[in-house]
Amino acid sequence: MKTLENATHATPFVFSFSRDLFSFSFPASHDSTALRIMTRTLPRPDKLSNSTSPTSSSGGGTAMRVIVPLQGVVQGRGGLFLGSVIPCALFYFLQLYLRRFRNDPGDPKDPNSSSPPPRTGSPNTSPSNSAGKLTELSGFPRSLSRSLLSPRNTGGPVSVSSRVSSILKSGESPFYLGLKRVEDDPYHEVGNSGGIIQLGLAENKLSLDLLEDWLDQNAREALVGGVANCEESNSSGIASYQAFDGLMELKVAVAGFMSQVMEKEISFNPSQVVLTAGATPAIEILSFCLADSGNAFLVPTPYHPGLDRDVKWRTGVEIIPVPCRSADNFSVSITALDRAFNQARKRGIRVRGIIISNPTSPVGNLFNRDTLYSLLDFAREKKIHVVSNELLAGSTYGSEEFVSMADIIDVEDLDRDRVHMVYALSKDLSLPGFRMGVIHSYNENVLAATKKMARFSSVSAPTQHLLVSMLSDAKFVEKFVKINRDRLGRMYVEFAGGLKKLGIECTKSNGGFYCWADMSGLISSYSEKGEFELWDKLLNVAKLNVIPGSCCHCIEPGWFCFCFTLLTEKDIPVVMERIRRISETCKFHS
Amino acid sequence: MLISQQLTDPTPNKPTFIYLLTVSSSRSRTDGPNEASVFGGSFCKPMTQTQTRPTTEPERPKPTAATAMRLIVPLQGVVQGRGGLILGSLIPCALFYFLQFYLKRHRSPNPSSDPPSPSTPSSNLADLPRTSSRSNLSSRGSFGPVRVSSRAGSLAKADDSTYYIGLNKVKEDPYHRTNNPNGIIQLGLSENTLCLDLIEKWVSENLTDSIMGSDGGDLSISGIAAYKPFDGMTEMKVAMASFMSRVIGKAVSFDPSQIVLTAGATPAIEILSFCLADHGNAFLVPTPYYPGFDRDIRSRTGVELIPVHCRSTDNFVFSITALDQAFNQARKRGLKVRAILICNPANPVGNILPRETLYDVLDFAREKNIHIICDEIYGGSVFGSEEFVSMAEILDSEEVDKDRVHIIYGLSKDLSLPGFRAGVIYSYNNSVLAAAKKLTRFSSMSTLTQRLLISMLSDTRFTQEYFEINKRRVKEIYDSFVAGLEQLGIRCSESNAGLYCWADMSALIPTYSEKGELELWDKLLNIAKINVTPGSACHCIEPGWFRCCFATLSQEDIPVVIERIQKVAETCKSPS
């Protein structure tokens, strides 16, 4: 039993070894190749047996007994079996040995605890070497105390989890570097006209005035009413515990809002809605629910750079990028999905779902009905989930029709179990600060699990009460969405037009806050390096923070993402002027 | 990965399984006592199991007698004692190793899903035929249901802990003095509603100013609508730090830069667990502990909780000996202990850890080189005479390595604002702080709530008044509740803090066991209509203890509760 346990613990290392062991023995279908293989595997056991045999046995006789069969192996007489088993076993013991001693770097100063007893079954052997004659654990002397120890430097630094180091490392992508730089030196029309202009954060400030008007008039009523509520009836006020997955009133309001925004005859069932503190935890919770550590999701590229963190950090789930090309206007093809799926499978990775963003971020195009159908077909064929991120559904402005995944499901009534939607108010209602995300799923198990996980990320009650009033105000919502769409569309046309004058083409966008611009004409070399150089120039010389395509895992270099919703119309000429200056220096060189 | 590639490769690679085939064939051929003793017991199974994979291969190489002999000869040597120690141990070991390897590969994909079928080889992946489409598939039932992850599967199952069963039961039929006098009275949720009137008064007076700002204008709307740092606004951290100094720290000043704000104490603890331990590591937790920890800590992080048992004779204060024992036992089981999680004032017992114990814990943690998580969420809910000592106070006075200490705080209990979801991680470790700040993107407080709280916490006159009144009210309700229980002969453990009392009902349980305890709990819930938390949900090793949260009761409710308990107590006493 113990060896079993140890073997499973030691797998990462053992695995890698066994893999090449297999690859050695695989092609040996004929005797001649077998011979070659054997001699290739030999050096390892030879070295090892020299070092391990004295410890496990003594005397030349036994040594000979090992060497003789090994010689047989070399000369091709030992057979495959011994040739593979012996090195393997030796490595196995080496693993065990290493593992034992790697485990305890934490307390090197304490000889008593740093070497655990080799046999697990004998509890009384370990304390005896340091605790003198006392063998009973209860009588174990508490030798360490404040008086005996110098308080510093005794134990070495305490270690944190390995997750921490990977999380800390991941902050170095240009996406986050750029955001940070803007924080240090933000542009202001009057106050800091030489500062960095933020074009890298997906936030919409075009319609905040509407929100402010509403809050001025209604906030007080919405919240004070909420507190008073708890005195009269037993139901929830703003102070007391709420259902972690959201108030029913808010779920109803959100479901209504979603139907309204998607402009279709879709109705969302409030009981299939789970509320979380933002879209980020919504995606993470879904990842926890749909995949286990080591599984993967397929994600068409370019995708939003934040997704890597949201999906991968804590869940241990991988993202497999499915490259899309400018030739297809960056829309996903089933062939590409299929190829990525099969490649993942060959690598031994289990794909559990596809995450799409519709309207896509950062490109801004929409999935048409046919693509959605074929996605569903693909998912059904592969038995995987589909997560449709429809954060920007209410921020469409183009002529094309937006088709929600829910719309498809409604019509076809396929096996809905595999379809999950993520929504939020941070984009469509310009309220990222409110941290309101939505999971909508047709899968009972997923719903049950997400409801429980919502306790790690629930929306505060004052926020919920305010939102109930806001979303229930149908007149306000309608007006807001309409005006916001108009403003977004106008801004896009203006911004894309400005870029066009500089000779920079954008993909045709139908929604979202971005211009996805092809600046490959300006990069010094057609590579990621060239792209970074331009990004660096834009940030440091032109003082514009944009997102380079490589952060979005775009495979074609030279694409950049400009988020225009933090600008006012007055800012656009400033931005264009700054880009122009850079583009001139770039063209000069080439 | 390589293996699967090789397997799907159409050209057969015979030797991979030559040895397997030869072994099994030789066994069936000779069938002698010698062979049987070599492949004894569990030994045989791996061979037959491993063999199943090669059989799916289209072409099977024929076992040749020569290879079989090459294998058997050394094996016979082993049997007859001439093989020596090394072969005798290596061969079974290697075979077990392959068994492991095999099982491991086949465990992660679930049995219902088909294994990668080698029958669809395609040298060119790009032109793989897209067979399925809407037209030629019946849309239903053609494939099995899609699977969820195993962690979701375990969470989606119905609750089996009595703690959650009770809570759910109350939701269905809550007691109300006038509307539903026969409903279930909630004594299982640690919530304080005694001072909601104070909160309400404050909110109605200060709401508009706090959210919209007194001057109004453009700044205020982007102040609440826009993206803010996920780990909390600086103003909020400053307000929280000074609030914590006043409430739990006494003389200690908390540093706002060491604060990370989360949406409640639950995510705070989870984020800390993610930072301090890897999957499969463990925390030591003195029992009885808050029943929610099991789910909050274990479900997503994969961290184990090792209970450290405390006894009523010590008033449920843990001893270092017990910690040490649990630590060593965990180590023997191969578990790496990364931290000790203490709750001070303790939930559910309500006692306060003495200063000496805190020093001992620090010593212990230093000796074992592990972290300390201090859950001080009840730090401001002290109503007894004993003085609460925060871990921060100990660290302030002593020059010790602070890296290993992390404090959890929140406003759910002390300011009775659980709906606001305000939690705090206060850590002295820079890498933990940096990582926790990044992880708060999964659990951040809404700006609206932060604005409200900034004003509330900065209003020192209000908070001071609140704490005075709250302490008095909690004390009153505690005294009358405990007195009521005492009339029934139920003794409570000595308590100085918290919103609950820890009652010893072992006299009422039919058998002195967990079963007896659960029977009583069931009676209390279904007959007396009172939801309390049984000690077993808190991992208490002594049966018969129950946690009763009293801070949602009013004085008028107490006689009702006591009478209901009395009725059950009478039925319990008569048969025994």
Side-chain angles (χ1 to χ4, degrees), chain B residues 213-517:
Chain B
S214 40
D215 50 345
D218 189 53
L219 211 140
S220 64
I221 182 65
S222 43
I224 62 169
Y227 272 114
K228 293 286 157 193
F230 287 118
D231 56 312
M233 297 190 254
T234 316
E235 301 99 298
M236 177 68 194
K237 290 185 182 178
V238 172
M240 183 61 94
S242 80
F243 179 76
M244 284 168 74
S245 302
R246 270 175 283 145
V247 176
I248 63 173
K250 308 292 181 300
V252 192
S253 69
F254 286 86
D255 181 355
S257 69
Q258 285 169 249
I259 285 184
V260 173
L261 296 168
T262 59
T266 300
I269 290 183
E270 197 202 26
I271 287 175
L272 258 188
S273 310
F274 268 113
C275 291
L276 302 184
D278 285 304
H279 195 280
N281 294 160
F283 291 163
L284 299 179
V285 193
T287 65
Y289 62 76
Y290 164 58
F293 279 158
D294 281 322
R295 186 185 282 172
D296 296 351
I297 296 177
R298 288 163 56 196
S299 64
R300 300 203 300 189
T301 64
V303 173
E304 290 298 315
L305 297 185
I306 298 174
V308 178
H309 293 298
C310 306
R311 294 174 180 281
S312 54
T313 47
D314 311 324
N315 196 27
F316 295 103
V317 174
F318 59 88
S319 69
I320 298 297
T321 326
L323 283 180
D324 208 61
Q325 224 164 336
F327 183 88
N328 287 331
Q329 271 164 12
R331 182 165 238 175
K332 282 195 187 132
R333 280 166 53 207
L335 282 176
K336 197 167 167 64
V337 174
R338 300 300 290 261
I340 164 168
L341 167 58
I342 56 175
C343 192
N344 183 27
N347 178 7
V349 180
N351 53 0
I352 292 172
L353 292 181
R355 196 178 283 265
E356 219 21 62
T357 311
L358 292 178
Y359 278 116
D360 286 344
V361 170
L362 269 174
D363 276 343
F364 177 78
R366 196 174 329 133
E367 184 193 323
K368 305 295 184 192
N369 202 15
I370 58 177
H371 294 268
I372 302 174
I373 304 173
C374 293
D375 180 356
E376 301 191 348
I377 196 165
Y378 290 101
S381 306
V382 180
F383 54 80
S385 51
E386 230 173 280
E387 187 207 15
F388 166 73
V389 184
S390 166
M391 191 53 110
E393 204 178 321
I394 304 271
L395 290 184
D396 211 42
S397 57
E398 193 107 335
E399 270 300 307
V400 288
D401 48 346
K402 303 178 172 182
D403 268 12
R404 63 180 84 251
V405 180
H406 318 276
I407 296 173
I408 298 284
Y409 190 63
L411 299 180
S412 314
K413 316 292 179 188
D414 285 356
L415 212 52
S416 34
L417 289 174
F420 276 47
R421 314 303 305 137
V424 177
I425 297 172
Y426 188 82
S427 172
Y428 296 87
N429 187 314
N430 285 333
S431 17
V432 169
L433 278 175
K437 276 180 190 170
K438 295 193 170 184
L439 290 180
T440 47
R441 65 191 273 115
F442 301 114
S443 187
S444 42
M445 285 173 71
S446 94
T447 44
L448 184 77
T449 313
Q450 292 192 51
R451 290 265 168 231
L452 207 57
L453 285 174
I454 291 169
S455 325
M456 193 186 281
L457 299 182
S458 316
D459 188 345
T460 45
R461 224 189 48 215
F462 164 73
T463 53
Q464 200 178 351
E465 185 194 320
Y466 173 87
F467 274 99
E468 276 165 20
I469 298 178
N470 185 47
K471 184 175 171 180
R472 204 180 60 230
R473 291 186 185 171
V474 172
K475 174 81 175 144
E476 276 167 16
I477 206 99
Y478 172 79
D479 285 343
S480 43
F481 191 79
V482 169
L485 287 178
E486 228 147 63
Q487 280 168 14
L488 304 178
I490 297 169
R491 206 180 49 82
C492 290
S493 78
E494 203 186 313
S495 167
N496 279 293
L499 307 170
Y500 32 73
C501 57
W502 184 238
D504 178 9
M505 304 199 188
S506 54
L508 304 181
I509 60 179
T511 59
Y512 190 72
S513 66
E514 193 179 315
K515 190 167 153 281
E517 181 181 292

Side-chain angles (χ1 to χ4, degrees), chain A residues 350-399:
Chain A
R350 201 174 151 75
V351 174
R352 300 302 288 262
I354 313 171
I355 301 178
I356 58 164
S357 167
N358 183 23
T360 57
S361 164
V363 179
N365 51 8
L366 305 177
F367 279 75
N368 59 30
R369 209 169 273 272
D370 272 342
T371 317
L372 289 177
Y373 276 125
S374 36
L375 261 178
L376 273 179
D377 278 341
F378 177 76
R380 191 162 349 115
E381 184 193 323
K382 304 295 185 192
K383 288 189 199 159
I384 57 178
H385 295 267
V386 178
V387 177
S388 176
N389 182 345
E390 302 187 359
L391 283 188
L392 293 165
S395 305
T396 52
Y397 42 75
S399 51

Side-chain angles (χ1 to χ4, degrees), chain A residues 11-137:
Chain A
T11 36
F13 201 161
V14 170
F15 248 89
S16 60
F17 166 66
S18 65
R19 212 182 294 134
D20 55 358
L21 188 134
F22 264 103
S23 65
F24 279 137
S25 45
F26 257 93
S29 55
H30 307 294
D31 276 354
S32 56
T33 40
L35 249 176
R36 207 148 30 82
I37 302 306
M38 287 304 110
T39 47
R40 262 200 338 216
T41 31
L42 179 75
R44 279 196 229 159
D46 227 16
K47 276 181 215 147
L48 271 167
S49 65
N50 283 345
S51 61
T52 51
S53 59
T55 60
S56 53
S57 66
S58 55
T62 36
M64 280 314 285
R65 270 178 225 151
V66 193
I67 294 167
V68 169
L70 283 181
Q71 277 178 337
V73 173
V74 183
Q75 291 151 25
R77 283 182 289 115
L80 262 172
F81 182 67
L82 279 182
S84 57
V85 161
I86 292 178
C88 148
L90 289 174
F91 266 93
Y92 176 66
F93 278 115
L94 176 68
Q95 297 292 320
L96 267 185
Y97 177 82
L98 289 177
R99 210 190 127 69
R100 260 289 154 71
F101 289 83
R102 206 192 319 134
N103 246 347
D104 314 316
D107 28 28
K109 43 102 198 184
D110 190 350
N112 156 37
S113 55
S114 70
S115 60
R119 289 278 160 260
T120 47
S122 51
N124 282 336
T125 51
S126 67
S128 61
N129 53 0
S130 76
K133 275 126 200 132
L134 286 166
T135 46
E136 270 183 20
L137 278 172

Side-chain angles (χ1 to χ4, degrees), chain A residues 4 14 26 28 81 144 152 159 161-163 212 239-240 288-289 291-292 310 385 413 433 455-456 460-461 463, chain B residues 1 15-16 71 97 100 140 147 149-151 191 217 225 274-275 277-278 296 367 371 399 419 441 443 446 449:
Chain A
L4 282 181
V14 170
F26 257 93
F81 182 67
L144 292 174
R152 266 175 203 282
S159 59
S161 76
S162 55
R163 291 183 259 236
E212 189 172 14
S240 48
F288 267 114
C289 286
D292 284 303
D310 299 351
H385 295 267
D413 196 35
R455 68 190 270 113
F456 300 116
S460 79
T463 311
Chain B
M1 310 159 199
T16 34
L71 174 67
Y97 170 71
Q100 296 293 319
R140 258 174 210 283
R147 309 188 59 82
S149 74
S150 56
R151 36 192 172 202
E191 184 178 7
F274 268 113
C275 291
D278 285 304
D296 296 351
E367 184 193 323
H371 294 268
E399 270 300 307
R441 65 191 273 115
S443 187
S446 94
T449 313

Side-chain angles (χ1 to χ4, degrees), chain A residues 240-399:
Chain A
S240 48
Y241 271 110
Q242 319 280 335
F244 287 110
D245 57 315
L247 296 173
M248 201 51 186
E249 296 98 299
L250 184 55
K251 289 185 184 181
V252 172
V254 164
F257 178 71
M258 284 166 73
S259 312
Q260 193 175 348
V261 156
M262 295 180 188
E263 286 185 335
K264 288 278 148 41
E265 300 291 298
I266 321 162
S267 64
F268 292 94
N269 184 347
S271 68
Q272 289 171 339
V273 166
V274 173
L275 304 180
T276 59
T280 299
I283 290 175
E284 195 201 29
I285 287 175
L286 271 181
S287 310
F288 267 114
C289 286
L290 304 182
D292 284 303
S293 180
N295 295 159
F297 286 120
L298 300 178
V299 186
T301 65
Y303 60 80
H304 189 269
L307 195 66
D308 281 321
R309 296 183 156 196
D310 299 351
V311 172
K312 285 149 81 170
W313 264 1
R314 301 202 294 189
T315 63
V317 175
E318 288 300 313
I319 285 184
I320 297 175
V322 180
C324 302
R325 294 175 181 279
S326 54
D328 314 323
N329 196 26
F330 293 104
S331 60
V332 65
S333 74
I334 299 297
T335 328
L337 280 176
D338 207 64
R339 196 181 302 139
F341 183 88
N342 287 330
Q343 272 165 8
R345 189 169 234 177
K346 283 212 181 122
R347 281 166 53 208
I349 296 175
R350 201 174 151 75
V351 174
R352 300 302 288 262
I354 313 171
I355 301 178
I356 58 164
S357 167
N358 183 23
T360 57
S361 164
V363 179
N365 51 8
L366 305 177
F367 279 75
N368 59 30
R369 209 169 273 272
D370 272 342
T371 317
L372 289 177
Y373 276 125
S374 36
L375 261 178
L376 273 179
D377 278 341
F378 177 76
R380 191 162 349 115
E381 184 193 323
K382 304 295 185 192
K383 288 189 199 159
I384 57 178
H385 295 267
V386 178
V387 177
S388 176
N389 182 345
E390 302 187 359
L391 283 188
L392 293 165
S395 305
T396 52
Y397 42 75
S399 51

